[in-house]
Amino acid sequence: MSPPDEALILGIESSCDETAAAVVRGGREALSSVVHSQIAEHAEWGGVVPEIAGRSHLRAIVPAIEEALTEANCHPQDLSGIAVTTRPGLLGSLLVGVTAAKSLAWAWQKPLIPVHHIEAHAYAALMSVDHWEFPYITLVVSGGHTSLFRTESPLAHALLGTTRDDAAGEALDKAAAMLNLGYPGGPAIQKAATDGDPKAYAFKRPMLGPNSLEFSFSGMKTAILYKLKGPGGRREEPTLPESQNLPGMAASFEAAVMDTLIRKCLRAAQQYNIPRILVGGGVACNQRLRVDMASAAEKNGVQAIFARAEHCTDNAVMIAGLGYAHLQQHETADLLLDVAAS
Amino acid sequence: MRGLLALELSSDPCSLALLCEDGRRLTRSFVGERGRALLHEIDTLFKDAQLEPSQLAGVIVGVGPGSYTGLRIACTAARTLAYALHVPTGGISSFDAAMEDGVETHIVLDAYRGEVYHGVGIAEQNHVTIMQTPRVCTIEELRPRLADKKVICDARLFDALADFDPASYTPTAARLLQLACARGVSIDGHGIDALNPAEPLYLRAAAFRPNT
């Protein structure tokens, strides 16, 4: 890996419900990071509504870019390229970011750099490491993704396993909705679980066989639904009776999700004899995951490296950072660049 | 030498037009894949005109009604180019660009969910008088108003409106440029700010709760 130079990359991210722009120097140093969150716009609906997201991205994209360049004191002529998320994500959302990036690349005559959103989350974790020691086991876990990779370089990730159904963050969202904790579910569950006993309620950790590196969270979702409906499903709507223990329920569910993630990571580290684990994505903000993963990793002689908290949820720093790595390899695109949902 | 660019992506075929300071008018059109094609088409148009991106004087965009995705792509490009090159951008209703000359024209587009977009107007050369701003309604409530009128609709409604002998809906970027110039926009971009914002004419809420 050649050492980072001083190249400035403008990153643009709009794959789901955050409109983000950032300027990063040398793939490492964030000079600015602007994130326009749509959480409040989607909260009423309990999840991301694609049409609301598309409209919001259009409103926010140019102001976000302008703010990122101003905050970085960066002029268009200073930029070495424009990096943008092209996949995976909501098509209508991706199209706004990619159209903006293509417009800038054409107007300013700059290289256009396509970036894979999940690889960028892995890069976010790499950005918190001073000296890279490849390979790594990489977990990217969020509301839309739960995948394990063997990472050989910032640009080379071999998929080891992914979720067969729901993403971990999606399971947290659904559980939070059933417990009337609000949206997004991850932070809401974490807050409700603060003083809860993670052993108060039993939730299975789905391992899917002794060697599997795949995930499945739909069963956990069903398990909490049945717990909330009561024995024999006697309550029509899932509700937690006052006599029951909300912190305990939240803590138990959260622990089950995080334990599953941790066990799979350690299993992958053992199977591939790679004693370094990278963790990125929105769920990587979760404190239980961070603390329990660090503890379990240490016991197993493995190093667990998390993306910085501000780089876990969707952001454009990771897009610009990985864009720099692509540019070093001359991996750029022409104006016919397209988006992809998966 | 500068050029005024117009984008019309609210329906297929999509089109672009460029009015150059020396009076040349260049156009391009394409079908589908708006997100993939648009900037490539703009680049080709400018190369054909032998203009550099920095010679863009302003962007006029058809704001619909029509394909939400198409409108967002066009408005994103218009706003981003305006920001990047310090030029103005503005919108014109796509319905305005499809009104027939000298006759009351009803434009009807499929809005899905059993509804249509409907607008009424009349063009007199490059001036359009709007008699019904675009709205959402059902074909059933519209039918009585269409008798003996000039009806323009998209291909999906040809069968449903066959009784009214409809013509095909084809707003073009070239027509947007004509209308813009008639509304006081000059080749250096002055006057664009007085147009509507480069904002899609959605006509519907972004989300709704189905009736139960």
PDB file of all heavy atoms in Angstrom, chain A residues 44-45 51 54-55 58 69 95-96 100 102-104 106 108 335-336, chain B residues 35-36 43 53 68 72 76-77 79-80 83-84 200 202 204 206-207 209:
ATOM      1  N   GLU A  44     -42.342   9.182  11.992  1.00  0.00           N
ATOM      2  CA  GLU A  44     -43.791   8.975  12.051  1.00  0.00           C
ATOM      3  C   GLU A  44     -44.200   7.648  11.418  1.00  0.00           C
ATOM      4  O   GLU A  44     -45.222   7.047  11.777  1.00  0.00           O
ATOM      5  CB  GLU A  44     -44.456  10.138  11.317  1.00  0.00           C
ATOM      6  CG  GLU A  44     -45.934  10.026  11.183  1.00  0.00           C
ATOM      7  CD  GLU A  44     -46.518  11.086  10.245  1.00  0.00           C
ATOM      8  OE1 GLU A  44     -45.784  12.006   9.819  1.00  0.00           O
ATOM      9  OE2 GLU A  44     -47.692  10.979   9.930  1.00  0.00           O
ATOM     10  N   TRP A  45     -43.386   7.184  10.463  1.00  0.00           N
ATOM     11  CA  TRP A  45     -43.754   5.993   9.710  1.00  0.00           C
ATOM     12  C   TRP A  45     -43.074   4.741  10.253  1.00  0.00           C
ATOM     13  O   TRP A  45     -43.313   3.639   9.743  1.00  0.00           O
ATOM     14  CB  TRP A  45     -43.399   6.192   8.218  1.00  0.00           C
ATOM     15  CG  TRP A  45     -44.038   7.443   7.695  1.00  0.00           C
ATOM     16  CD1 TRP A  45     -43.470   8.693   7.646  1.00  0.00           C
ATOM     17  CD2 TRP A  45     -45.366   7.601   7.208  1.00  0.00           C
ATOM     18  NE1 TRP A  45     -44.371   9.609   7.159  1.00  0.00           N
ATOM     19  CE2 TRP A  45     -45.541   8.953   6.872  1.00  0.00           C
ATOM     20  CE3 TRP A  45     -46.424   6.723   7.015  1.00  0.00           C
ATOM     21  CZ2 TRP A  45     -46.735   9.463   6.363  1.00  0.00           C
ATOM     22  CZ3 TRP A  45     -47.616   7.217   6.503  1.00  0.00           C
ATOM     23  CH2 TRP A  45     -47.764   8.568   6.192  1.00  0.00           C
ATOM     24  N   GLU A  51     -40.004   7.400  -0.878  1.00  0.00           N
ATOM     25  CA  GLU A  51     -40.367   8.655  -1.534  1.00  0.00           C
ATOM     26  C   GLU A  51     -40.023   9.867  -0.654  1.00  0.00           C
ATOM     27  O   GLU A  51     -39.552  10.894  -1.167  1.00  0.00           O
ATOM     28  CB  GLU A  51     -41.858   8.649  -1.900  1.00  0.00           C
ATOM     29  CG  GLU A  51     -42.364   9.900  -2.599  1.00  0.00           C
ATOM     30  CD  GLU A  51     -41.666  10.221  -3.916  1.00  0.00           C
ATOM     31  OE1 GLU A  51     -41.116   9.307  -4.554  1.00  0.00           O
ATOM     32  OE2 GLU A  51     -41.645  11.418  -4.305  1.00  0.00           O
ATOM     33  N   GLY A  54     -36.263  10.283  -1.088  1.00  0.00           N
ATOM     34  CA  GLY A  54     -35.863  10.890  -2.367  1.00  0.00           C
ATOM     35  C   GLY A  54     -36.094  12.391  -2.378  1.00  0.00           C
ATOM     36  O   GLY A  54     -35.230  13.160  -2.814  1.00  0.00           O
ATOM     37  N   ARG A  55     -37.229  12.808  -1.869  1.00  0.00           N
ATOM     38  CA  ARG A  55     -37.527  14.242  -1.841  1.00  0.00           C
ATOM     39  C   ARG A  55     -36.561  14.997  -0.931  1.00  0.00           C
ATOM     40  O   ARG A  55     -36.105  16.102  -1.246  1.00  0.00           O
ATOM     41  CB  ARG A  55     -38.972  14.467  -1.381  1.00  0.00           C
ATOM     42  CG  ARG A  55     -39.987  13.958  -2.371  1.00  0.00           C
ATOM     43  CD  ARG A  55     -41.404  14.295  -1.940  1.00  0.00           C
ATOM     44  NE  ARG A  55     -42.373  13.661  -2.832  1.00  0.00           N
ATOM     45  CZ  ARG A  55     -43.659  13.946  -2.866  1.00  0.00           C
ATOM     46  NH1 ARG A  55     -44.157  14.847  -2.045  1.00  0.00           N
ATOM     47  NH2 ARG A  55     -44.466  13.335  -3.708  1.00  0.00           N
ATOM     48  N   LEU A  58     -33.085  15.495  -2.453  1.00  0.00           N
ATOM     49  CA  LEU A  58     -33.035  16.581  -3.443  1.00  0.00           C
ATOM     50  C   LEU A  58     -32.923  17.939  -2.745  1.00  0.00           C
ATOM     51  O   LEU A  58     -32.148  18.798  -3.162  1.00  0.00           O
ATOM     52  CB  LEU A  58     -34.273  16.540  -4.348  1.00  0.00           C
ATOM     53  CG  LEU A  58     -34.441  17.727  -5.302  1.00  0.00           C
ATOM     54  CD1 LEU A  58     -33.250  17.865  -6.239  1.00  0.00           C
ATOM     55  CD2 LEU A  58     -35.726  17.588  -6.121  1.00  0.00           C
ATOM     56  N   LEU A  69     -17.620  21.762   1.422  1.00  0.00           N
ATOM     57  CA  LEU A  69     -16.486  22.438   0.781  1.00  0.00           C
ATOM     58  C   LEU A  69     -16.097  23.689   1.569  1.00  0.00           C
ATOM     59  O   LEU A  69     -14.907  23.973   1.757  1.00  0.00           O
ATOM     60  CB  LEU A  69     -16.836  22.789  -0.669  1.00  0.00           C
ATOM     61  CG  LEU A  69     -16.932  21.579  -1.617  1.00  0.00           C
ATOM     62  CD1 LEU A  69     -17.492  22.000  -2.969  1.00  0.00           C
ATOM     63  CD2 LEU A  69     -15.569  20.924  -1.800  1.00  0.00           C
ATOM     64  N   LEU A  95     -29.882   7.770  -6.823  1.00  0.00           N
ATOM     65  CA  LEU A  95     -29.879   8.571  -8.054  1.00  0.00           C
ATOM     66  C   LEU A  95     -29.619  10.045  -7.785  1.00  0.00           C
ATOM     67  O   LEU A  95     -28.981  10.725  -8.597  1.00  0.00           O
ATOM     68  CB  LEU A  95     -31.207   8.400  -8.799  1.00  0.00           C
ATOM     69  CG  LEU A  95     -31.327   7.130  -9.634  1.00  0.00           C
ATOM     70  CD1 LEU A  95     -32.777   6.897 -10.059  1.00  0.00           C
ATOM     71  CD2 LEU A  95     -30.419   7.203 -10.864  1.00  0.00           C
ATOM     72  N   VAL A  96     -30.097  10.538  -6.653  1.00  0.00           N
ATOM     73  CA  VAL A  96     -29.870  11.954  -6.338  1.00  0.00           C
ATOM     74  C   VAL A  96     -28.373  12.205  -6.114  1.00  0.00           C
ATOM     75  O   VAL A  96     -27.782  13.123  -6.703  1.00  0.00           O
ATOM     76  CB  VAL A  96     -30.694  12.385  -5.116  1.00  0.00           C
ATOM     77  CG1 VAL A  96     -30.317  13.805  -4.687  1.00  0.00           C
ATOM     78  CG2 VAL A  96     -32.189  12.312  -5.426  1.00  0.00           C
ATOM     79  N   ALA A 100     -25.881  14.257  -8.695  1.00  0.00           N
ATOM     80  CA  ALA A 100     -25.135  15.426  -8.206  1.00  0.00           C
ATOM     81  C   ALA A 100     -23.640  15.244  -8.445  1.00  0.00           C
ATOM     82  O   ALA A 100     -22.955  16.168  -8.916  1.00  0.00           O
ATOM     83  CB  ALA A 100     -25.421  15.648  -6.723  1.00  0.00           C
ATOM     84  N   LYS A 102     -22.106  13.346 -10.664  1.00  0.00           N
ATOM     85  CA  LYS A 102     -21.810  13.404 -12.092  1.00  0.00           C
ATOM     86  C   LYS A 102     -21.859  14.856 -12.593  1.00  0.00           C
ATOM     87  O   LYS A 102     -21.046  15.263 -13.434  1.00  0.00           O
ATOM     88  CB  LYS A 102     -22.790  12.527 -12.879  1.00  0.00           C
ATOM     89  CG  LYS A 102     -22.515  11.038 -12.680  1.00  0.00           C
ATOM     90  CD  LYS A 102     -23.695  10.161 -13.063  1.00  0.00           C
ATOM     91  CE  LYS A 102     -23.831   9.938 -14.528  1.00  0.00           C
ATOM     92  NZ  LYS A 102     -24.823   8.876 -14.835  1.00  0.00           N
ATOM     93  N   SER A 103     -22.816  15.611 -12.078  1.00  0.00           N
ATOM     94  CA  SER A 103     -22.913  17.016 -12.479  1.00  0.00           C
ATOM     95  C   SER A 103     -21.658  17.782 -12.068  1.00  0.00           C
ATOM     96  O   SER A 103     -21.118  18.582 -12.848  1.00  0.00           O
ATOM     97  CB  SER A 103     -24.145  17.670 -11.840  1.00  0.00           C
ATOM     98  OG  SER A 103     -25.328  17.005 -12.243  1.00  0.00           O
ATOM     99  N   LEU A 104     -21.189  17.533 -10.846  1.00  0.00           N
ATOM    100  CA  LEU A 104     -19.966  18.210 -10.385  1.00  0.00           C
ATOM    101  C   LEU A 104     -18.754  17.752 -11.193  1.00  0.00           C
ATOM    102  O   LEU A 104     -17.903  18.565 -11.574  1.00  0.00           O
ATOM    103  CB  LEU A 104     -19.725  17.924  -8.898  1.00  0.00           C
ATOM    104  CG  LEU A 104     -20.736  18.473  -7.899  1.00  0.00           C
ATOM    105  CD1 LEU A 104     -20.357  18.053  -6.483  1.00  0.00           C
ATOM    106  CD2 LEU A 104     -20.836  19.996  -7.991  1.00  0.00           C
ATOM    107  N   TRP A 106     -18.641  16.679 -14.176  1.00  0.00           N
ATOM    108  CA  TRP A 106     -18.685  17.272 -15.527  1.00  0.00           C
ATOM    109  C   TRP A 106     -18.373  18.767 -15.473  1.00  0.00           C
ATOM    110  O   TRP A 106     -17.551  19.269 -16.248  1.00  0.00           O
ATOM    111  CB  TRP A 106     -20.060  17.045 -16.151  1.00  0.00           C
ATOM    112  CG  TRP A 106     -20.189  17.631 -17.526  1.00  0.00           C
ATOM    113  CD1 TRP A 106     -19.665  17.115 -18.681  1.00  0.00           C
ATOM    114  CD2 TRP A 106     -20.846  18.847 -17.887  1.00  0.00           C
ATOM    115  NE1 TRP A 106     -19.971  17.937 -19.735  1.00  0.00           N
ATOM    116  CE2 TRP A 106     -20.702  19.007 -19.281  1.00  0.00           C
ATOM    117  CE3 TRP A 106     -21.550  19.809 -17.164  1.00  0.00           C
ATOM    118  CZ2 TRP A 106     -21.226  20.103 -19.979  1.00  0.00           C
ATOM    119  CZ3 TRP A 106     -22.086  20.893 -17.844  1.00  0.00           C
ATOM    120  CH2 TRP A 106     -21.916  21.039 -19.243  1.00  0.00           C
ATOM    121  N   TRP A 108     -16.786  20.545 -13.220  1.00  0.00           N
ATOM    122  CA  TRP A 108     -15.437  20.888 -12.759  1.00  0.00           C
ATOM    123  C   TRP A 108     -14.366  20.053 -13.452  1.00  0.00           C
ATOM    124  O   TRP A 108     -13.184  20.192 -13.131  1.00  0.00           O
ATOM    125  CB  TRP A 108     -15.342  20.696 -11.241  1.00  0.00           C
ATOM    126  CG  TRP A 108     -16.202  21.663 -10.465  1.00  0.00           C
ATOM    127  CD1 TRP A 108     -16.676  22.874 -10.894  1.00  0.00           C
ATOM    128  CD2 TRP A 108     -16.691  21.503  -9.117  1.00  0.00           C
ATOM    129  NE1 TRP A 108     -17.422  23.467  -9.895  1.00  0.00           N
ATOM    130  CE2 TRP A 108     -17.452  22.656  -8.796  1.00  0.00           C
ATOM    131  CE3 TRP A 108     -16.554  20.508  -8.148  1.00  0.00           C
ATOM    132  CZ2 TRP A 108     -18.073  22.837  -7.552  1.00  0.00           C
ATOM    133  CZ3 TRP A 108     -17.171  20.679  -6.912  1.00  0.00           C
ATOM    134  CH2 TRP A 108     -17.924  21.838  -6.626  1.00  0.00           C
ATOM    135  N   LEU A 335     -19.337   9.181 -17.466  1.00  0.00           N
ATOM    136  CA  LEU A 335     -20.605   9.813 -17.134  1.00  0.00           C
ATOM    137  C   LEU A 335     -21.805   8.885 -17.328  1.00  0.00           C
ATOM    138  O   LEU A 335     -22.935   9.259 -17.003  1.00  0.00           O
ATOM    139  CB  LEU A 335     -20.801  11.093 -17.954  1.00  0.00           C
ATOM    140  CG  LEU A 335     -19.836  12.230 -17.593  1.00  0.00           C
ATOM    141  CD1 LEU A 335     -19.967  13.381 -18.580  1.00  0.00           C
ATOM    142  CD2 LEU A 335     -20.085  12.723 -16.175  1.00  0.00           C
ATOM    143  N   LEU A 336     -21.573   7.675 -17.829  1.00  0.00           N
ATOM    144  CA  LEU A 336     -22.659   6.699 -17.932  1.00  0.00           C
ATOM    145  C   LEU A 336     -22.794   5.857 -16.656  1.00  0.00           C
ATOM    146  O   LEU A 336     -23.540   4.880 -16.620  1.00  0.00           O
ATOM    147  CB  LEU A 336     -22.446   5.786 -19.138  1.00  0.00           C
ATOM    148  CG  LEU A 336     -22.742   6.441 -20.495  1.00  0.00           C
ATOM    149  CD1 LEU A 336     -22.240   5.570 -21.636  1.00  0.00           C
ATOM    150  CD2 LEU A 336     -24.229   6.712 -20.660  1.00  0.00           C
TER     151      LEU A 336
ATOM    152  N   GLY B  35     -31.160   8.330 -15.104  1.00  0.00           N
ATOM    153  CA  GLY B  35     -30.032   8.548 -14.205  1.00  0.00           C
ATOM    154  C   GLY B  35     -28.710   8.196 -14.853  1.00  0.00           C
ATOM    155  O   GLY B  35     -27.695   8.852 -14.642  1.00  0.00           O
ATOM    156  N   ARG B  36     -28.721   7.132 -15.638  1.00  0.00           N
ATOM    157  CA  ARG B  36     -27.486   6.705 -16.305  1.00  0.00           C
ATOM    158  C   ARG B  36     -27.129   7.669 -17.431  1.00  0.00           C
ATOM    159  O   ARG B  36     -25.975   8.031 -17.625  1.00  0.00           O
ATOM    160  CB  ARG B  36     -27.675   5.295 -16.860  1.00  0.00           C
ATOM    161  CG  ARG B  36     -26.485   4.730 -17.592  1.00  0.00           C
ATOM    162  CD  ARG B  36     -26.731   3.260 -17.943  1.00  0.00           C
ATOM    163  NE  ARG B  36     -25.590   2.702 -18.631  1.00  0.00           N
ATOM    164  CZ  ARG B  36     -25.445   2.682 -19.952  1.00  0.00           C
ATOM    165  NH1 ARG B  36     -26.396   3.193 -20.721  1.00  0.00           N
ATOM    166  NH2 ARG B  36     -24.373   2.169 -20.507  1.00  0.00           N
ATOM    167  N   ASP B  43     -23.102  16.156 -21.843  1.00  0.00           N
ATOM    168  CA  ASP B  43     -21.709  16.245 -22.317  1.00  0.00           C
ATOM    169  C   ASP B  43     -21.655  16.176 -23.843  1.00  0.00           C
ATOM    170  O   ASP B  43     -20.956  16.968 -24.486  1.00  0.00           O
ATOM    171  CB  ASP B  43     -20.913  15.090 -21.694  1.00  0.00           C
ATOM    172  CG  ASP B  43     -19.441  15.138 -22.053  1.00  0.00           C
ATOM    173  OD1 ASP B  43     -18.826  16.206 -21.863  1.00  0.00           O
ATOM    174  OD2 ASP B  43     -18.905  14.110 -22.520  1.00  0.00           O
ATOM    175  N   PRO B  53     -18.106  23.138 -20.423  1.00  0.00           N
ATOM    176  CA  PRO B  53     -19.062  23.279 -19.313  1.00  0.00           C
ATOM    177  C   PRO B  53     -19.081  24.701 -18.734  1.00  0.00           C
ATOM    178  O   PRO B  53     -20.149  25.189 -18.349  1.00  0.00           O
ATOM    179  CB  PRO B  53     -18.544  22.267 -18.279  1.00  0.00           C
ATOM    180  CG  PRO B  53     -17.857  21.227 -19.095  1.00  0.00           C
ATOM    181  CD  PRO B  53     -17.231  21.956 -20.250  1.00  0.00           C
ATOM    182  N   TYR B  68     -41.692  10.951 -10.972  1.00  0.00           N
ATOM    183  CA  TYR B  68     -40.993  11.549  -9.832  1.00  0.00           C
ATOM    184  C   TYR B  68     -39.477  11.348  -9.956  1.00  0.00           C
ATOM    185  O   TYR B  68     -38.696  12.246  -9.662  1.00  0.00           O
ATOM    186  CB  TYR B  68     -41.471  10.928  -8.520  1.00  0.00           C
ATOM    187  CG  TYR B  68     -42.831  11.385  -8.055  1.00  0.00           C
ATOM    188  CD1 TYR B  68     -43.372  10.876  -6.872  1.00  0.00           C
ATOM    189  CD2 TYR B  68     -43.579  12.319  -8.755  1.00  0.00           C
ATOM    190  CE1 TYR B  68     -44.620  11.278  -6.419  1.00  0.00           C
ATOM    191  CE2 TYR B  68     -44.823  12.729  -8.318  1.00  0.00           C
ATOM    192  CZ  TYR B  68     -45.348  12.200  -7.147  1.00  0.00           C
ATOM    193  OH  TYR B  68     -46.577  12.594  -6.685  1.00  0.00           O
ATOM    194  N   ARG B  72     -36.757  14.310 -10.289  1.00  0.00           N
ATOM    195  CA  ARG B  72     -35.692  14.489  -9.285  1.00  0.00           C
ATOM    196  C   ARG B  72     -34.318  14.484  -9.935  1.00  0.00           C
ATOM    197  O   ARG B  72     -33.436  15.257  -9.550  1.00  0.00           O
ATOM    198  CB  ARG B  72     -35.779  13.398  -8.219  1.00  0.00           C
ATOM    199  CG  ARG B  72     -36.588  13.831  -7.017  1.00  0.00           C
ATOM    200  CD  ARG B  72     -36.298  12.968  -5.813  1.00  0.00           C
ATOM    201  NE  ARG B  72     -36.862  11.644  -5.932  1.00  0.00           N
ATOM    202  CZ  ARG B  72     -38.136  11.358  -5.654  1.00  0.00           C
ATOM    203  NH1 ARG B  72     -38.941  12.301  -5.245  1.00  0.00           N
ATOM    204  NH2 ARG B  72     -38.588  10.132  -5.769  1.00  0.00           N
ATOM    205  N   THR B  76     -32.059  17.668  -9.703  1.00  0.00           N
ATOM    206  CA  THR B  76     -30.753  17.518  -9.058  1.00  0.00           C
ATOM    207  C   THR B  76     -29.648  18.023  -9.986  1.00  0.00           C
ATOM    208  O   THR B  76     -28.755  18.773  -9.562  1.00  0.00           O
ATOM    209  CB  THR B  76     -30.481  16.041  -8.699  1.00  0.00           C
ATOM    210  OG1 THR B  76     -31.484  15.588  -7.801  1.00  0.00           O
ATOM    211  CG2 THR B  76     -29.114  15.877  -8.049  1.00  0.00           C
ATOM    212  N   ALA B  77     -29.695  17.617 -11.246  1.00  0.00           N
ATOM    213  CA  ALA B  77     -28.672  18.065 -12.207  1.00  0.00           C
ATOM    214  C   ALA B  77     -28.727  19.576 -12.369  1.00  0.00           C
ATOM    215  O   ALA B  77     -27.689  20.255 -12.348  1.00  0.00           O
ATOM    216  CB  ALA B  77     -28.880  17.364 -13.552  1.00  0.00           C
ATOM    217  N   ARG B  79     -29.888  21.924 -10.344  1.00  0.00           N
ATOM    218  CA  ARG B  79     -29.427  22.652  -9.152  1.00  0.00           C
ATOM    219  C   ARG B  79     -27.926  22.505  -8.938  1.00  0.00           C
ATOM    220  O   ARG B  79     -27.248  23.453  -8.530  1.00  0.00           O
ATOM    221  CB  ARG B  79     -30.156  22.123  -7.914  1.00  0.00           C
ATOM    222  CG  ARG B  79     -31.631  22.450  -7.869  1.00  0.00           C
ATOM    223  CD  ARG B  79     -32.182  21.903  -6.577  1.00  0.00           C
ATOM    224  NE  ARG B  79     -33.628  21.987  -6.505  1.00  0.00           N
ATOM    225  CZ  ARG B  79     -34.310  21.736  -5.393  1.00  0.00           C
ATOM    226  NH1 ARG B  79     -33.685  21.365  -4.301  1.00  0.00           N
ATOM    227  NH2 ARG B  79     -35.622  21.830  -5.384  1.00  0.00           N
ATOM    228  N   THR B  80     -27.417  21.294  -9.190  1.00  0.00           N
ATOM    229  CA  THR B  80     -25.985  21.072  -8.948  1.00  0.00           C
ATOM    230  C   THR B  80     -25.150  21.817  -9.984  1.00  0.00           C
ATOM    231  O   THR B  80     -24.114  22.419  -9.649  1.00  0.00           O
ATOM    232  CB  THR B  80     -25.656  19.559  -8.965  1.00  0.00           C
ATOM    233  OG1 THR B  80     -26.585  18.874  -8.137  1.00  0.00           O
ATOM    234  CG2 THR B  80     -24.250  19.311  -8.467  1.00  0.00           C
ATOM    235  N   TYR B  83     -25.151  25.440  -9.048  1.00  0.00           N
ATOM    236  CA  TYR B  83     -24.224  25.710  -7.942  1.00  0.00           C
ATOM    237  C   TYR B  83     -22.768  25.662  -8.421  1.00  0.00           C
ATOM    238  O   TYR B  83     -21.974  26.563  -8.123  1.00  0.00           O
ATOM    239  CB  TYR B  83     -24.439  24.677  -6.820  1.00  0.00           C
ATOM    240  CG  TYR B  83     -23.264  24.526  -5.909  1.00  0.00           C
ATOM    241  CD1 TYR B  83     -22.920  25.539  -5.012  1.00  0.00           C
ATOM    242  CD2 TYR B  83     -22.453  23.395  -5.968  1.00  0.00           C
ATOM    243  CE1 TYR B  83     -21.808  25.416  -4.196  1.00  0.00           C
ATOM    244  CE2 TYR B  83     -21.346  23.261  -5.156  1.00  0.00           C
ATOM    245  CZ  TYR B  83     -21.026  24.281  -4.267  1.00  0.00           C
ATOM    246  OH  TYR B  83     -19.924  24.160  -3.466  1.00  0.00           O
ATOM    247  N   ALA B  84     -22.440  24.629  -9.169  1.00  0.00           N
ATOM    248  CA  ALA B  84     -21.035  24.409  -9.543  1.00  0.00           C
ATOM    249  C   ALA B  84     -20.507  25.482 -10.494  1.00  0.00           C
ATOM    250  O   ALA B  84     -19.332  25.826 -10.454  1.00  0.00           O
ATOM    251  CB  ALA B  84     -20.886  23.023 -10.189  1.00  0.00           C
ATOM    252  N   PRO B 200     -39.533  19.771  -8.302  1.00  0.00           N
ATOM    253  CA  PRO B 200     -40.565  18.920  -8.913  1.00  0.00           C
ATOM    254  C   PRO B 200     -41.972  19.293  -8.469  1.00  0.00           C
ATOM    255  O   PRO B 200     -42.199  19.619  -7.301  1.00  0.00           O
ATOM    256  CB  PRO B 200     -40.203  17.517  -8.408  1.00  0.00           C
ATOM    257  CG  PRO B 200     -38.758  17.576  -8.111  1.00  0.00           C
ATOM    258  CD  PRO B 200     -38.506  18.975  -7.602  1.00  0.00           C
ATOM    259  N   TYR B 202     -44.838  17.786  -7.461  1.00  0.00           N
ATOM    260  CA  TYR B 202     -45.201  16.428  -7.055  1.00  0.00           C
ATOM    261  C   TYR B 202     -46.721  16.190  -7.072  1.00  0.00           C
ATOM    262  O   TYR B 202     -47.181  15.116  -7.393  1.00  0.00           O
ATOM    263  CB  TYR B 202     -44.665  16.136  -5.655  1.00  0.00           C
ATOM    264  CG  TYR B 202     -43.167  15.990  -5.558  1.00  0.00           C
ATOM    265  CD1 TYR B 202     -42.404  16.841  -4.760  1.00  0.00           C
ATOM    266  CD2 TYR B 202     -42.506  14.981  -6.240  1.00  0.00           C
ATOM    267  CE1 TYR B 202     -41.027  16.694  -4.643  1.00  0.00           C
ATOM    268  CE2 TYR B 202     -41.132  14.821  -6.128  1.00  0.00           C
ATOM    269  CZ  TYR B 202     -40.395  15.682  -5.327  1.00  0.00           C
ATOM    270  OH  TYR B 202     -39.039  15.529  -5.213  1.00  0.00           O
ATOM    271  N   ARG B 204     -48.652  15.277  -4.981  1.00  0.00           N
ATOM    272  CA  ARG B 204     -49.119  14.309  -3.987  1.00  0.00           C
ATOM    273  C   ARG B 204     -48.182  14.317  -2.791  1.00  0.00           C
ATOM    274  O   ARG B 204     -47.000  14.610  -2.939  1.00  0.00           O
ATOM    275  CB  ARG B 204     -49.092  12.897  -4.562  1.00  0.00           C
ATOM    276  CG  ARG B 204     -50.335  12.463  -5.278  1.00  0.00           C
ATOM    277  CD  ARG B 204     -50.236  10.964  -5.466  1.00  0.00           C
ATOM    278  NE  ARG B 204     -51.361  10.427  -6.160  1.00  0.00           N
ATOM    279  CZ  ARG B 204     -51.260   9.623  -7.219  1.00  0.00           C
ATOM    280  NH1 ARG B 204     -50.080   9.300  -7.703  1.00  0.00           N
ATOM    281  NH2 ARG B 204     -52.335   9.157  -7.785  1.00  0.00           N
ATOM    282  N   ALA B 206     -45.758  12.712  -0.013  1.00  0.00           N
ATOM    283  CA  ALA B 206     -44.726  11.683  -0.200  1.00  0.00           C
ATOM    284  C   ALA B 206     -45.148  10.343   0.386  1.00  0.00           C
ATOM    285  O   ALA B 206     -44.705   9.296  -0.063  1.00  0.00           O
ATOM    286  CB  ALA B 206     -43.421  12.137   0.447  1.00  0.00           C
ATOM    287  N   ALA B 207     -45.987  10.375   1.386  1.00  0.00           N
ATOM    288  CA  ALA B 207     -46.415   9.131   2.018  1.00  0.00           C
ATOM    289  C   ALA B 207     -47.857   9.291   2.457  1.00  0.00           C
ATOM    290  O   ALA B 207     -48.300  10.403   2.744  1.00  0.00           O
ATOM    291  CB  ALA B 207     -45.538   8.807   3.216  1.00  0.00           C
ATOM    292  N   ARG B 209     -51.321   7.042   4.427  1.00  0.00           N
ATOM    293  CA  ARG B 209     -51.797   5.823   5.094  1.00  0.00           C
ATOM    294  C   ARG B 209     -53.000   5.296   4.321  1.00  0.00           C
ATOM    295  O   ARG B 209     -53.957   6.031   4.111  1.00  0.00           O
ATOM    296  CB  ARG B 209     -52.205   6.133   6.535  1.00  0.00           C
ATOM    297  CG  ARG B 209     -51.034   6.575   7.381  1.00  0.00           C
ATOM    298  CD  ARG B 209     -51.407   6.689   8.838  1.00  0.00           C
ATOM    299  NE  ARG B 209     -50.380   7.412   9.569  1.00  0.00           N
ATOM    300  CZ  ARG B 209     -49.197   6.893   9.908  1.00  0.00           C
ATOM    301  NH1 ARG B 209     -48.915   5.661   9.602  1.00  0.00           N
ATOM    302  NH2 ARG B 209     -48.303   7.619  10.544  1.00  0.00           N
TER     303      ARG B 209
END
